[in-house]
Amino acid sequence: MALPILHIFAAVLNSYILWYDQVYVNVPFEKGMDSYPFRSRVLFLTLWNFVLHAVYYWIAFANDIFGTNDVSPRHPPLIRKIKDMIFALAFPLGVYVSVAFWGVYAVDKDLIFPEPVEKAYPPWINHPLHTLVSIFITIEMLTSNITYPRRKLGLAIINVFIFSYLVFLFIVYGQTVYVNVFYGNSLDTYPFKSRILFLTLWNFVLHGFYHWVAFANDVFGTDEASPRNPPLIRKLKDLLFTIAFPLGVYVSIAFWSVYAVDKELIFPEHVEKAYPPWINHPLHTFVSVFIIIEMLTSNVTYPRRMVNGCTLYWRTSIGLSE
C-alpha cells in the first residue's frame, strides 16, 4: 500500500511544481534566451529530468492499479514494461541532477543558482527540483520490483536521451553564443588560440595521443587477444580506447547532424574559409572512421565495468556541463 502512496504523492507534487513554475515563477533571462519553450526552462536538464520523473510516477501509479508489481512476471502488462523502461533512465538522470547541482552549488553557488534565480525559486520549489528527485527515485529503487531492460537497450535509452539534450544545447549555443567565439571579445584569450573551447580539440588531441600509444604498443607491447600479463603500454592503450571510441563517434555524429540541419549553426561561412575540407574532415569525419576501423581490426581488452562506467560518467558530466 505504501508504494502507490509514494507514486501518487510524487506524481502530484511534480505536476504541481511544474504548473506553478510555468504560471508564477519569473526567471530573468538575457535577451535572446527568453524565447524558448516552457518559458525557457527547456534549456535546463532539471526540467527534462523533472518532466520525466513526473511521467514516470504517473505511469508507476497506473501500474499499481492496472498492472503488476510482482518480482519477475512471466507476461508483464504493457504498463509495467513502460514503467521499467522509463526507470532505467529516470534513476541515473535523477541522481545525476542532484549530484551535479549540489556539487556545483557547494563549490560556487553563483555558478548554478545566482541570487536572482534563488529569489524566483524558494526552497519549497528548489528542493523538489534538485533534491527530492534523487531521494524519491532511490526509495523507488529500494522498494519497488524493477525488471531492468537488457544492458544494450538500457545504454541505448540513456545515450539517445543525452544525445538529444546535447544536440539541443548545441543548437541553442549556435543561436546565442557561438558567433561571439569567432568575433573576439573575452573569448579569444584561451589556450590553443581558443580552440580549447571546443570538444573537437579535446577529442582530436585524445585521438592523436591514442594512436601514438597504439603505435608504441605495436612496437613494444602486444596485440594478443587476451594477454595474461599485458604490458603497461597495452593497458594504457585499451583504457584510452574506452574514451576515444565513443567520444570520436559522438563528435562526428553531433557535428554532421547539426551541419545537416543548419550549417550556419556549427560551421558558418567565415569558419569554413578558415577550415578547408582537408582540415575539417580529419577533425570531424576521420576521427570516427579511424576509431571504428581500430575497433574492428584491433584486439582491445576492455577495462572492468566500474572503470568503464567512470569514463562514461566523466564524458556525460563534461557533455552536460558544456
Side-chain angles (χ1 to χ4, degrees):
M1 185 62 187
L3 207 55
I5 293 175
L6 170 67
H7 292 157
I8 191 62
F9 175 77
V12 171
L13 176 65
N14 286 19
S15 300
Y16 175 74
I17 294 294
L18 286 170
W19 171 80
Y20 188 91
D21 173 59
Q22 292 298 300
V23 175
Y24 294 108
V25 177
N26 294 310
V27 179
F29 285 96
E30 293 183 6
K31 189 176 181 181
M33 301 284 289
D34 55 358
S35 58
Y36 289 93
F38 298 100
R39 302 183 70 185
S40 292
R41 310 298 197 270
V42 74
L43 297 171
F44 305 107
L45 186 64
T46 293
L47 177 77
W48 293 53
N49 174 67
F50 207 64
V51 170
L52 176 69
H53 278 235
V55 171
Y56 171 78
Y57 288 118
W58 280 115
I59 290 176
F61 182 67
N63 178 69
D64 295 333
I65 299 174
F66 305 108
T68 175
N69 284 313
D70 293 343
V71 178
S72 297
R74 278 195 169 187
H75 303 287
L78 179 62
I79 192 72
R80 170 66 184 269
K81 292 179 180 178
I82 296 174
K83 167 184 171 286
D84 292 344
M85 197 80 70
I86 295 178
F87 181 86
L89 175 61
F91 176 77
L93 191 64
V95 172
Y96 171 80
V97 165
S98 289
V99 171
F101 178 85
W102 292 112
V104 177
Y105 188 100
V107 174
D108 189 341
K109 172 177 161 290
D110 286 331
L111 282 178
I112 200 166
F113 206 54
E115 188 176 349
V117 180
E118 187 176 19
K119 289 180 179 178
Y121 284 98
W124 70 270
I125 297 180
N126 182 34
H127 283 298
L129 289 171
H130 297 115
T131 309
L132 296 182
V133 284
S134 59
I135 293 175
F136 285 163
I137 205 68
T138 301
I139 294 173
E140 175 76 1
M141 181 189 68
L142 296 174
T143 59
S144 180
N145 293 317
I146 307 291
T147 303
Y148 295 96
R150 296 188 307 276
R151 186 186 305 173
K152 288 184 179 179
L153 179 59
L155 288 174
I157 293 171
I158 294 173
N159 284 323
V160 167
F161 182 90
I162 292 172
F163 180 75
S164 301
Y165 180 67
L166 291 177
V167 168
F168 171 72
L169 286 188
F170 214 171
I171 293 172
V172 172
Y173 181 72
Q175 293 174 341
T176 56
V177 181
Y178 185 78
V179 175
N180 291 332
V181 175
F182 298 102
Y183 287 106
N185 295 336
S186 61
L187 293 173
D188 58 356
T189 59
Y190 289 91
F192 299 101
K193 299 179 72 174
S194 292
R195 308 300 194 272
I196 198 172
L197 296 170
F198 302 102
L199 187 62
T200 293
L201 176 74
W202 293 66
N203 175 66
F204 204 65
V205 170
L206 173 66
H207 277 240
F209 183 59
Y210 168 78
H211 288 297
W212 278 115
V213 170
F215 179 70
N217 179 69
D218 295 335
V219 178
F220 304 108
T222 176
D223 281 320
E224 294 178 12
S226 298
R228 279 196 168 187
N229 298 303
L232 180 61
I233 192 71
R234 170 64 184 270
K235 292 179 180 178
L236 179 60
K237 167 185 172 286
D238 292 343
L239 186 60
L240 287 173
F241 181 85
T242 62
I243 308 175
F245 175 77
L247 190 62
V249 172
Y250 168 77
V251 165
S252 290
I253 292 176
F255 178 85
W256 292 112
S257 297
V258 178
Y259 188 100
V261 174
D262 189 342
K263 173 175 162 288
E264 290 299 315
L265 285 179
I266 199 167
F267 206 54
E269 186 177 353
H270 56 281
V271 180
E272 188 174 18
K273 289 179 180 178
Y275 286 93
W278 68 271
I279 296 180
N280 181 33
H281 284 297
L283 289 171
H284 297 114
T285 309
F286 295 161
V287 283
S288 59
V289 173
F290 287 162
I291 205 69
I292 289 173
I293 293 174
E294 176 78 3
M295 180 190 68
L296 296 175
T297 59
S298 178
N299 292 316
V300 178
T301 303
Y302 295 95
R304 296 189 307 275
R305 188 183 305 175
M306 183 177 294
V307 176
N308 204 12
C310 289
T311 60
L312 175 63
Y313 184 80
W314 172 79
R315 288 186 287 105
T316 304
S317 300
I318 287 180
L320 295 179
S321 62
E322 285 185 338

